[in-house]
């Protein structure tokens, strides 16, 4: 059954923030109430909180540490986070930054996640050094699962090279993702990318397509 | 072109340093450059290198002194307040003519300042930073790929001239992700280091790396000797990128990440028929002054994430051939392309 709580986690640079933002927007566009949680206790910028304006405009509630994107460099969790577990009619999207350090902080809510049910999506990008092979991802997944005491339920392939992504990027190392999927015993639920990145998706994978928009542009990019 | 990977600026510096033969890295954490240390701690043990987290910035820079004196390629990194702490050690490195690479991923200042990106350490970087008559070679990349190239260049130049090199980035460059390839990176060019304190094996006189001289004239001689070297560097090493300068009514200068904002602004301006050109200094010291003497715009504009520190160098370089204006934000705020466009329009009304 589709759960209402979705956790996005993975190595930094996997693109999980953009994936989580896109997931939240898609759910909102279906008419659902949506809350997104900026659960990044490590990174100072390029985080969910940077999309505050867009989220406001779309009517998506943002829960973020009150010091996110400010000059206070403090690894704290958002104060009002527990409210998402009480809002039974709300889709809750967690963007968990900071690798296993971030996951460790998330683990304190394990009893709530288990009580309400959750899906935890492992966002992977094979174009990142140190995480290119199935074994690297497996090690990262284990570290996150051990730290958070939660289990991944599926994989989101988000292999990309930022602005240099082309139609061949997403599946360029797909055998590693298939291997990872077998080893973890979970399926690759989604293959993610912007429209241009998705122009070459094999027919049998059409149903897994997750088309994204970029919601956190660089300061010099005109939207 | 080789296989591309997606990397954060800070990580890319680490990988580029390793590929440039750096096996000695002395770190101390500070936002927004900590990922560089984090990368080194993962990679160095795998390749037989040393990652050492020092007990302070001061300790780290003095470890660089020791490693560089022993003739190896050494690196340290920090962000603004941490670089201030390292300044004494940097002055000693300059005095010892020791090659090394120092990374500054700049954040807002002065004081503890903030963790958001800034370029307000320009004076500190280009004027030496510590005490005494000295300069650092200062390189200012504007993309993660250029960060990789200039890291390799930094080690080579530092070895070639025996001058410490500072790689000057900002928080955005350190934190952002861009595709990079490492196959096109410049090869390490190792200099002979007959001066290095590597042990005499009882076969030669001992090498001493000294910064204290008992006679004033002896110190003066050393300083003037170094000054001659700076003259060679000033003559040979001025690097910049320039375009659209021939017909330009206004030439916009910016370095590092701000130049990306300027590129967008210039595109908008050119589309509107406004003749804007670009000179982007890549070496901040030596400042690329020659190119400023070859252009004839009605005005210059410096765009910076500071209160306008590079303005002075442009003024000196162009010898006041045209007025030099400033547009920028500071304290951790990034200027937008629209702000630059508006400023250019205002200036062109003034200078006609």
């Amino acid at each position: 059954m589709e759960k209402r709580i979705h956790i996005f986690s993975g190595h930094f640079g996997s693109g999980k923030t953009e994936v989580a933002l896109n997931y939240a927007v898609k759910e909102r566009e279906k008419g659902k109430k949506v809350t997104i949680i900026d659960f990044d206790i490590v990174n100072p910028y390029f985080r969910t909180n940077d999309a505050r304006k867009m989220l406001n405009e779309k009517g998506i509630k943002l829960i973020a540490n009150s010091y996110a994107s400010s000059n206070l460099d403090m690894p704290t969790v958002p104060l009002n986070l527990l409210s998402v577990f009480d809002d039974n009619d709300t889709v809750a999207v967690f963007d968990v930054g900071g690798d296993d350090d971030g996951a460790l902080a998330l683990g304190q809510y394990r009893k709530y996640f288990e009580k309400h049910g959750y899906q935890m999506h492992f966002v992977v990008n094979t174009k990142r050094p140190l995480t290119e092979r199935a074994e690297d991802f497996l090690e990262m997944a284990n570290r996150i699962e051990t730290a958070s005491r939660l289990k991944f339920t599926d994989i989101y392939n988000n292999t990309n090279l930022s602005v240099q992504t082309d139609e061949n990027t997403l599946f360029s190392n797909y055998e590693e993702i298939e291997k990872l999927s077998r080893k973890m015993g979970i399926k690759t639920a989604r293959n993610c990318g912007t429209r241009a990145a998705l122009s070459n998706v094999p027919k049998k994978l059409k149903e897994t397509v997750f088309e994204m928009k970029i919601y956190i542009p660089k300061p010099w990019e005109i939207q | 072109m080789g296989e591309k990977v997606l990397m954060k600026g800070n990580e890319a510096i680490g990988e580029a340093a390793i590929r440039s033969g750096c096996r000695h890295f002395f770190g101390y954490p500070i936002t927004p450059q900590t990922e560089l240390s984090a990368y080194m701690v993962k990679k160095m043990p795998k390749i037989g290198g040393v990652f050492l987290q020092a007990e302070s910035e001061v300790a780290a820079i003095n470890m660089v002194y020791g490693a560089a004196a022993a003739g190896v390629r050494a690196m340290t990194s920090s962000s603004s307040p941490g670089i201030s702490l390292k300044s004494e050690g940097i002055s000693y490195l300059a005095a010892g003519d020791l090659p090394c690479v120092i990374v500054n991923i700049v954040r807002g200042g002065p004081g503890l300042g903030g963790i958001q990106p800034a370029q307000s350490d320009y004076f500190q970087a280009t004027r030496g930073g510590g005490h005494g008559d000295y300069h650092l070679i200062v390189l200012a990349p504007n993309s993660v790929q250029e960060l990789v190239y200039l890291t390799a260049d930094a080690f080579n130049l530092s070895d070639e001239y025996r001058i410490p090199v500072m790689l000057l980035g900002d928080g955005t460059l350190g934190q952002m992700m861009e595709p990079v390839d490492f196959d096109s990176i410049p090869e390490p060019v190792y200099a002979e280091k007959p001066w290095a304190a590597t042990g005499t094996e009882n076969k030669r006189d001992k090498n001493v790396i000294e910064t204290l001289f008992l006679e004033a004239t002896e110190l003066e001689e050393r300083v003037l000797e170094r000054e001659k070297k700076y003259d060679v560097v000033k003559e040979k090493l001025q690097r910049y990128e320039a375009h659209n300068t021939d017909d330009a009514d206004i030439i916009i200068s910016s370095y590092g990440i701000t130049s990306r904002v300027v590129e967008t602004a210039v595109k908008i301006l050119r589309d509107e028929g406004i003749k804007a050109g670009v000179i982007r200094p890549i070496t901040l010291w030596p400042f690329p002054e020659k190119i400023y003497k070859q252009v004839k715009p009605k005005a210059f504009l410096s765009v910076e994430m500071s209160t306008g520190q590079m303005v002075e160098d442009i003024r000196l370089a162009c010898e006041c051939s045209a007025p030099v204006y400033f547009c920028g934000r500071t304290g951790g705020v990034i200027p937008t392309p629209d702000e630059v466009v508006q400023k250019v329009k205002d200036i062109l009304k003034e200078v006609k």
Side-chain angles (χ1 to χ4, degrees):
Chain A
M1 201 189 86
E2 187 74 8
K3 303 284 194 297
R4 72 172 184 89
I5 295 174
H6 294 265
I7 305 165
F8 290 88
S9 188
H11 186 36
F12 83 81
S14 59
K16 60 191 169 309
T17 294
E18 290 287 2
V19 173
L21 284 167
N22 276 274
Y23 191 90
V25 170
K26 284 179 197 293
E27 290 298 293
R28 181 68 190 141
E29 282 168 356
K30 289 180 201 163
K32 296 182 190 171
K33 273 175 73 180
V34 180
T35 297
I36 189 163
I37 300 100
D38 178 343
F39 201 86
D40 192 328
I41 60 160
V42 173
N43 294 296
Y45 14 99
F46 300 124
R47 49 189 293 169
T48 314
N49 189 64
D50 295 351
R52 182 177 284 271
K53 190 162 160 272
M54 177 281 288
L55 293 167
N56 262 331
E57 284 164 5
K58 293 195 184 291
I60 297 168
K61 186 176 168 188
L62 168 66
I63 293 183
N65 159 4
S66 22
Y67 306 115
S69 315
S70 85
N71 274 331
L72 188 62
D73 195 5
M74 215 185 243
T76 55
V77 299
L79 287 174
N80 47 348
L81 187 148
L82 286 176
S83 63
V84 300
F85 295 107
D86 295 329
D87 293 339
N88 282 320
D89 59 344
T90 296
V91 175
V93 180
F94 284 78
D95 172 25
V96 185
D99 298 354
D100 42 331
D101 295 325
L104 184 68
L106 188 74
Q108 68 189 296
Y109 306 105
R110 183 178 69 135
K111 66 176 178 186
Y112 298 99
F113 287 120
E114 291 194 333
K115 183 176 161 200
H116 295 274
Y118 68 92
Q119 283 184 276
M120 184 155 80
H121 312 290
F122 189 32
V123 184
V124 298
N125 178 3
T126 63
K127 292 293 178 188
R128 292 275 295 133
L130 307 181
T131 54
E132 286 152 305
R133 298 166 313 123
E135 290 73 23
D136 307 327
F137 287 115
L138 203 57
E139 193 191 323
M140 172 61 67
N142 284 337
R143 288 221 306 270
I144 290 172
E145 288 185 337
T146 305
S148 66
R149 295 171 292 153
L150 299 165
K151 283 275 174 205
F152 282 112
T153 52
D154 57 21
I155 297 166
Y156 273 49
N157 172 27
N158 187 43
T159 297
N160 76 89
L161 277 170
S162 183
V163 292
Q164 289 182 20
T165 307
D166 64 26
E167 71 276 11
N168 299 317
T169 309
L170 184 58
F171 296 102
S172 59
N173 219 358
Y174 202 61
E175 60 283 359
E176 292 298 321
I177 291 174
E178 287 178 315
K179 195 168 156 194
L180 175 70
S181 173
R182 282 195 305 275
K183 285 191 178 225
M184 289 180 76
I186 55 178
K187 65 175 183 180
T188 306
R190 293 284 181 268
N191 288 290
C192 316
T194 55
R195 181 164 297 174
L198 292 166
S199 58
N200 223 357
V201 177
K203 247 201 185 97
K204 58 174 184 163
L205 294 175
K206 284 276 188 246
E207 283 181 5
T208 66
V209 162
F210 184 85
E211 190 182 319
M212 302 213 300
K213 286 185 182 149
I214 302 303
Y215 289 114
I216 305 181
K218 302 274 168 42
W220 51 88
E221 289 167 357
I222 299 278
Q223 283 268 287
Chain B
M1 292 296 263
E3 172 86 6
K4 291 220 167 168
V5 291
L6 190 64
M7 282 185 110
K8 223 177 207 198
N10 285 331
E11 299 176 294
I13 300 170
E15 182 60 30
I18 287 168
R19 289 182 190 231
S20 304
C22 174
R23 293 293 179 274
H24 296 79
F25 184 92
F26 306 97
Y28 190 79
I30 180 170
T31 305
Q33 66 77 49
T34 302
E35 294 82 5
L36 175 48
S37 278
Y39 192 83
M40 289 305 206
V41 78
K42 284 194 189 110
K43 281 291 281 250
M44 281 297 199
K46 290 184 185 166
I47 54 168
V50 173
F51 167 85
L52 203 149
Q53 179 163 319
E55 70 267 38
S56 69
E57 286 89 347
V58 178
I61 193 73
N62 284 296
M63 290 170 184
V64 169
Y65 188 102
V72 300
R73 289 192 158 185
M75 184 186 234
T76 187
S77 71
S78 194
S79 179
S80 310
I83 295 293
S84 292
L85 286 167
K86 287 183 194 292
S87 293
E88 183 198 42
I90 295 172
S91 168
Y92 279 60
L93 280 154
D97 300 304
L98 292 172
C100 65
V101 178
I102 301 143
V103 181
N104 184 2
I105 300 297
V106 181
R107 56 188 250 182
L112 197 50
I115 60 172
Q116 303 293 325
Q119 297 183 313
S120 39
D121 298 355
Y122 182 91
F123 282 151
Q124 185 191 44
T126 57
R127 269 63 181 166
H131 61 281
D133 287 307
Y134 80 92
H135 282 286
L136 305 173
I137 292 171
V138 183
L139 306 177
N142 78 341
S143 68
V144 178
Q145 185 68 63
E146 198 174 66
L147 203 49
V148 166
Y149 293 151
L150 292 186
T151 300
D153 286 344
F155 280 104
N156 289 342
L157 290 168
S158 191
D159 265 14
E160 182 182 351
Y161 292 109
R162 293 184 65 185
I163 297 175
V165 176
M166 176 170 281
L167 201 58
L168 194 72
D170 74 294
T172 309
L173 201 53
Q175 292 294 321
M176 73 188 212
M177 295 261 178
E178 283 191 320
V180 282
D181 92 77
F182 287 94
D183 294 345
S184 53
I185 190 171
E187 286 288 315
V189 181
Y190 296 101
E192 292 292 320
K193 295 180 177 176
W195 47 265
T198 51
T200 65
E201 294 176 1
N202 292 324
K203 285 175 188 157
R204 59 162 167 82
D205 287 341
K206 66 183 174 185
N207 286 338
V208 180
I209 312 293
E210 55 193 340
T211 69
L212 170 67
F213 301 95
L214 297 182
E215 297 297 331
T217 50
E218 199 189 351
L219 175 56
E220 184 189 42
E221 199 181 304
R222 293 290 191 112
V223 169
L224 293 179
E225 205 50 47
R226 197 171 296 117
E227 213 53 41
K228 281 184 207 153
K229 192 166 66 177
Y230 293 151
D231 287 340
V232 173
V233 172
K234 275 192 235 175
E235 184 53 36
K236 283 174 67 179
L237 197 66
Q238 299 185 17
R239 282 199 210 168
Y240 60 89
E241 180 197 349
H243 61 81
N244 287 309
T245 52
D246 288 349
D247 67 340
D249 287 328
I250 184 162
I251 288 180
I252 310 177
S253 281
S254 58
Y255 67 93
I257 208 67
T258 318
S259 70
R260 307 279 289 266
V261 176
V262 166
E263 285 303 327
T264 306
V266 167
K267 206 160 171 290
I268 296 169
L269 288 164
R270 282 274 165 183
D271 285 349
E272 293 183 23
I274 295 168
K275 291 173 184 164
V278 164
I279 299 174
R280 170 173 76 93
I282 295 172
T283 52
L284 300 184
W285 197 93
F287 193 74
E289 52 186 31
K290 290 180 202 167
I291 180 69
Y292 286 91
K293 299 184 205 318
Q294 294 163 20
V295 292
K296 294 272 171 278
K298 291 176 187 159
F300 291 97
L301 172 64
S302 183
V303 182
E304 304 170 53
M305 294 194 292
S306 74
T307 53
Q309 301 185 10
M310 192 169 68
V311 170
E312 289 184 12
D313 279 339
I314 298 171
R315 227 172 248 155
L316 287 168
C318 77
E319 292 168 333
C320 300
S321 64
V324 183
Y325 292 83
F326 170 69
C327 170
R329 303 292 299 270
T330 193
V333 187
I334 305 172
T336 64
D338 287 346
E339 286 173 77
V340 179
V341 167
Q342 194 49 52
K343 182 74 187 182
V344 167
K345 289 179 179 171
D346 293 347
I347 293 167
L348 289 178
K349 269 181 224 154
E350 255 179 65
V351 296
K352 285 278 186 276

Coordinates of all heavy atoms in Angstrom, one line a residue, chain A residues 142-184:
Chain A
N142 N 24.0 0.6 3.8 CA 24.1 0.0 5.1 C 24.4 1.0 6.2 O 23.8 0.9 7.3 CB 25.2 -1.0 5.1 CG 24.8 -2.3 4.4 OD1 23.6 -2.6 4.3 ND2 25.8 -3.0 3.8
R143 N 25.3 2.0 5.9 CA 25.6 3.0 6.9 C 24.4 3.8 7.3 O 24.1 4.1 8.4 CB 26.7 3.9 6.4 CG 28.1 3.2 6.4 CD 29.2 4.1 6.8 NE 29.2 5.4 6.1 CZ 29.9 5.6 5.0 NH1 30.7 4.6 4.5 NH2 29.9 6.7 4.4
I144 N 23.6 4.2 6.3 CA 22.4 5.0 6.5 C 21.3 4.2 7.3 O 20.7 4.7 8.2 CB 21.8 5.5 5.2 CG1 22.8 6.6 4.6 CG2 20.4 6.1 5.4 CD1 22.4 7.1 3.2
E145 N 21.2 2.9 6.9 CA 20.2 2.1 7.6 C 20.6 1.8 9.0 O 19.8 1.8 9.9 CB 20.0 0.7 6.8 CG 19.3 0.9 5.5 CD 19.0 -0.4 4.8 OE1 19.7 -1.4 5.1 OE2 18.0 -0.5 4.0
T146 N 21.9 1.6 9.2 CA 22.4 1.3 10.6 C 22.2 2.6 11.5 O 21.7 2.5 12.6 CB 23.9 1.0 10.6 OG1 24.0 -0.2 9.7 CG2 24.4 0.6 12.0
A147 N 22.5 3.8 10.9 CA 22.4 5.0 11.6 C 21.0 5.4 11.9 O 20.7 5.8 13.0 CB 23.1 6.1 10.9
S148 N 20.1 5.2 11.0 CA 18.7 5.6 11.1 C 17.8 4.5 11.8 O 16.8 4.8 12.3 CB 18.1 6.0 9.8 OG 18.0 4.9 9.0
R149 N 18.3 3.3 11.7 CA 17.5 2.1 12.2 C 16.2 2.0 11.4 O 15.2 1.6 11.9 CB 17.3 2.2 13.7 CG 18.6 2.1 14.5 CD 18.4 2.4 15.9 NE 18.0 3.8 16.1 CZ 17.3 4.2 17.2 NH1 16.8 3.4 18.0 NH2 17.0 5.5 17.3
L150 N 16.3 2.5 10.1 CA 15.1 2.4 9.2 C 15.6 1.6 8.0 O 16.8 1.5 7.7 CB 14.6 3.8 8.8 CG 14.2 4.7 9.9 CD1 14.0 6.1 9.5 CD2 12.8 4.2 10.5
K151 N 14.7 1.1 7.2 CA 15.1 0.3 6.0 C 14.6 0.9 4.7 O 13.5 1.4 4.6 CB 14.3 -1.1 6.1 CG 15.0 -2.0 7.1 CD 16.1 -2.8 6.4 CE 16.9 -3.6 7.4 NZ 18.2 -3.9 7.0
F152 N 15.5 0.9 3.7 CA 15.2 1.4 2.4 C 14.1 0.5 1.8 O 14.2 -0.8 2.0 CB 16.4 1.4 1.5 CG 17.3 2.6 1.8 CD1 18.6 2.5 2.3 CD2 16.9 3.9 1.5 CE1 19.4 3.5 2.5 CE2 17.7 5.0 1.7 CZ 18.9 4.8 2.3
T153 N 13.1 1.1 1.1 CA 12.1 0.3 0.5 C 12.2 0.2 -1.0 O 11.6 -0.6 -1.7 CB 10.7 0.9 0.9 OG1 10.7 2.3 0.6 CG2 10.5 0.7 2.4
D154 N 12.9 1.2 -1.6 CA 13.1 1.1 -3.1 C 14.3 2.1 -3.4 O 14.8 2.8 -2.6 CB 11.9 1.4 -3.9 CG 11.2 2.7 -3.6 OD1 11.9 3.6 -3.0 OD2 10.0 2.9 -3.9
I155 N 14.6 2.1 -4.7 CA 15.7 2.9 -5.3 C 15.2 3.9 -6.3 O 14.4 3.5 -7.1 CB 16.8 1.9 -5.9 CG1 17.4 1.0 -4.9 CG2 17.9 2.8 -6.6 CD1 18.2 -0.2 -5.5
Y156 N 15.7 5.1 -6.2 CA 15.4 6.1 -7.2 C 16.7 6.4 -7.9 O 17.7 6.9 -7.4 CB 15.0 7.4 -6.5 CG 13.5 7.5 -6.3 CD1 12.8 6.5 -5.7 CD2 12.8 8.6 -6.7 CE1 11.4 6.6 -5.4 CE2 11.4 8.7 -6.5 CZ 10.7 7.7 -5.9 OH 9.4 7.8 -5.6
N157 N 16.8 6.0 -9.2 CA 18.0 6.2 -10.0 C 17.9 7.7 -10.5 O 17.1 8.1 -11.2 CB 18.1 5.3 -11.2 CG 19.2 5.6 -12.1 OD1 20.2 6.2 -11.8 ND2 19.0 5.3 -13.4
N158 N 18.9 8.5 -10.0 CA 18.9 9.9 -10.4 C 20.3 10.2 -11.0 O 20.9 11.3 -10.7 CB 18.6 10.8 -9.2 CG 18.5 12.2 -9.6 OD1 17.9 12.6 -10.6 ND2 19.1 13.1 -8.8
T159 N 20.9 9.3 -11.7 CA 22.2 9.5 -12.3 C 22.2 10.7 -13.2 O 21.4 10.8 -14.2 CB 22.6 8.2 -13.1 OG1 22.7 7.1 -12.1 CG2 24.0 8.4 -13.8
N160 N 23.0 11.7 -12.9 CA 23.0 12.9 -13.7 C 24.4 13.6 -13.6 O 25.2 13.4 -12.7 CB 21.9 13.9 -13.2 CG 22.3 14.6 -11.9 OD1 22.9 15.6 -11.9 ND2 21.9 13.9 -10.8
L161 N 24.6 14.5 -14.5 CA 25.8 15.3 -14.6 C 25.4 16.8 -14.5 O 26.0 17.6 -15.2 CB 26.6 15.0 -15.8 CG 27.6 13.8 -15.7 CD1 28.1 13.5 -17.1 CD2 28.7 14.0 -14.8
S162 N 24.4 17.1 -13.7 CA 23.9 18.5 -13.7 C 23.6 19.0 -15.1 O 23.0 18.3 -15.8 CB 25.0 19.3 -12.9 OG 24.5 20.6 -12.7
V163 N 24.1 20.2 -15.4 CA 23.8 20.8 -16.7 C 24.3 20.0 -17.9 O 23.8 20.3 -19.0 CB 24.2 22.3 -16.8 CG1 23.5 23.1 -15.8 CG2 25.7 22.4 -16.5
Q164 N 25.3 19.1 -17.7 CA 25.8 18.4 -18.8 C 25.2 17.0 -19.0 O 25.7 16.2 -19.7 CB 27.3 18.3 -18.7 CG 28.0 19.6 -18.9 CD 29.5 19.5 -18.8 OE1 30.1 18.5 -19.0 NE2 30.2 20.7 -18.6
T165 N 24.1 16.8 -18.3 CA 23.3 15.5 -18.5 C 22.8 15.5 -19.9 O 22.2 16.4 -20.4 CB 22.1 15.5 -17.5 OG1 22.6 15.8 -16.2 CG2 21.5 14.1 -17.5
D166 N 23.0 14.3 -20.5 CA 22.3 14.1 -21.8 C 21.5 12.9 -21.8 O 21.3 12.3 -20.8 CB 23.3 14.2 -23.0 CG 24.3 13.0 -22.9 OD1 24.0 11.9 -22.3 OD2 25.4 13.1 -23.4
E167 N 20.9 12.5 -23.0 CA 20.0 11.4 -23.1 C 20.6 10.1 -22.7 O 19.9 9.1 -22.4 CB 19.3 11.4 -24.4 CG 20.1 10.9 -25.6 CD 21.0 12.1 -26.2 OE1 21.0 13.1 -25.6 OE2 21.5 11.8 -27.3
N168 N 21.9 10.0 -22.7 CA 22.6 8.7 -22.4 C 23.0 8.6 -20.9 O 23.5 7.6 -20.5 CB 23.8 8.5 -23.3 CG 23.4 8.5 -24.7 OD1 22.4 7.8 -25.1 ND2 24.1 9.1 -25.6
T169 N 23.0 9.7 -20.2 CA 23.5 9.7 -18.8 C 22.8 8.8 -17.8 O 23.5 8.0 -17.1 CB 23.5 11.2 -18.2 OG1 24.1 12.1 -19.2 CG2 24.3 11.3 -16.9
L170 N 21.5 8.9 -17.8 CA 20.7 8.2 -16.8 C 20.9 6.7 -16.7 O 21.0 6.1 -15.7 CB 19.2 8.5 -17.0 CG 18.2 8.0 -16.0 CD1 18.5 8.5 -14.6 CD2 16.8 8.3 -16.4
F171 N 21.1 6.1 -17.9 CA 21.3 4.6 -17.9 C 22.8 4.2 -18.2 O 23.0 3.1 -18.5 CB 20.3 4.0 -18.9 CG 18.9 4.2 -18.5 CD1 18.1 5.2 -19.2 CD2 18.4 3.4 -17.5 CE1 16.8 5.4 -18.8 CE2 17.0 3.7 -17.1 CZ 16.3 4.6 -17.8
S172 N 23.7 5.2 -18.1 CA 25.0 4.9 -18.5 C 25.7 3.8 -17.7 O 26.7 3.2 -18.1 CB 25.9 6.2 -18.6 OG 25.9 6.8 -17.3
N173 N 25.3 3.7 -16.5 CA 25.9 2.7 -15.5 C 24.8 1.9 -14.9 O 24.9 1.5 -13.7 CB 26.7 3.5 -14.5 CG 28.0 2.9 -14.1 OD1 28.3 1.8 -14.6 ND2 28.7 3.5 -13.3
Y174 N 23.8 1.5 -15.7 CA 22.6 1.0 -15.1 C 22.8 -0.4 -14.5 O 22.1 -0.8 -13.6 CB 21.4 0.9 -16.1 CG 20.1 0.9 -15.5 CD1 19.6 1.9 -14.7 CD2 19.2 -0.2 -15.8 CE1 18.3 1.8 -14.1 CE2 17.9 -0.2 -15.2 CZ 17.5 0.8 -14.4 OH 16.3 0.7 -13.8
E175 N 23.8 -1.1 -15.1 CA 24.0 -2.5 -14.6 C 24.4 -2.5 -13.1 O 24.1 -3.4 -12.3 CB 25.1 -3.3 -15.4 CG 26.5 -2.6 -15.5 CD 26.6 -1.4 -16.4 OE1 25.5 -1.1 -17.1 OE2 27.6 -0.9 -16.5
E176 N 25.1 -1.4 -12.7 CA 25.4 -1.3 -11.2 C 24.2 -1.1 -10.4 O 24.1 -1.6 -9.3 CB 26.4 -0.1 -11.0 CG 27.8 -0.3 -11.6 CD 28.6 -1.5 -11.0 OE1 28.5 -1.7 -9.8 OE2 29.2 -2.2 -11.8
I177 N 23.2 -0.3 -10.9 CA 22.0 -0.1 -10.2 C 21.2 -1.4 -10.1 O 20.6 -1.7 -9.1 CB 21.2 1.1 -10.8 CG1 22.0 2.4 -10.5 CG2 19.8 1.2 -10.2 CD1 21.5 3.6 -11.1
E178 N 21.2 -2.1 -11.2 CA 20.4 -3.4 -11.2 C 21.1 -4.4 -10.2 O 20.4 -5.1 -9.5 CB 20.4 -4.0 -12.6 CG 19.5 -3.3 -13.6 CD 19.5 -3.8 -15.0 OE1 20.6 -4.1 -15.5 OE2 18.4 -4.0 -15.6
K179 N 22.4 -4.4 -10.2 CA 23.1 -5.2 -9.2 C 22.8 -4.8 -7.8 O 22.5 -5.7 -6.9 CB 24.6 -5.1 -9.5 CG 25.5 -6.1 -8.9 CD 26.9 -6.0 -9.5 CE 28.0 -6.5 -8.6 NZ 29.3 -6.1 -9.0
L180 N 22.8 -3.5 -7.6 CA 22.4 -3.0 -6.2 C 21.0 -3.4 -5.9 O 20.8 -3.9 -4.7 CB 22.5 -1.5 -6.3 CG 22.1 -0.7 -5.0 CD1 23.1 -1.0 -3.9 CD2 21.9 0.8 -5.2
S181 N 20.1 -3.3 -6.8 CA 18.7 -3.7 -6.6 C 18.6 -5.2 -6.2 O 17.9 -5.5 -5.2 CB 17.9 -3.4 -7.9 OG 16.6 -3.9 -7.8
R182 N 19.4 -6.0 -6.8 CA 19.3 -7.5 -6.5 C 19.9 -7.7 -5.1 O 19.4 -8.4 -4.3 CB 20.2 -8.2 -7.5 CG 19.4 -8.5 -8.8 CD 20.2 -9.6 -9.7 NE 21.6 -9.3 -9.9 CZ 22.0 -8.6 -10.9 NH1 21.2 -8.0 -11.7 NH2 23.3 -8.4 -11.1
K183 N 21.0 -7.0 -4.9 CA 21.7 -7.2 -3.6 C 20.9 -6.7 -2.4 O 20.9 -7.3 -1.3 CB 23.1 -6.5 -3.6 CG 24.1 -7.3 -4.4 CD 25.5 -6.7 -4.1 CE 26.5 -7.6 -5.0 NZ 27.7 -8.0 -4.3
M184 N 20.2 -5.6 -2.6 CA 19.4 -5.1 -1.5 C 18.0 -5.7 -1.4 O 17.3 -5.6 -0.4 CB 19.2 -3.5 -1.7 CG 20.5 -2.8 -1.4 SD 20.3 -1.0 -1.6 CE 19.4 -0.5 -0.1

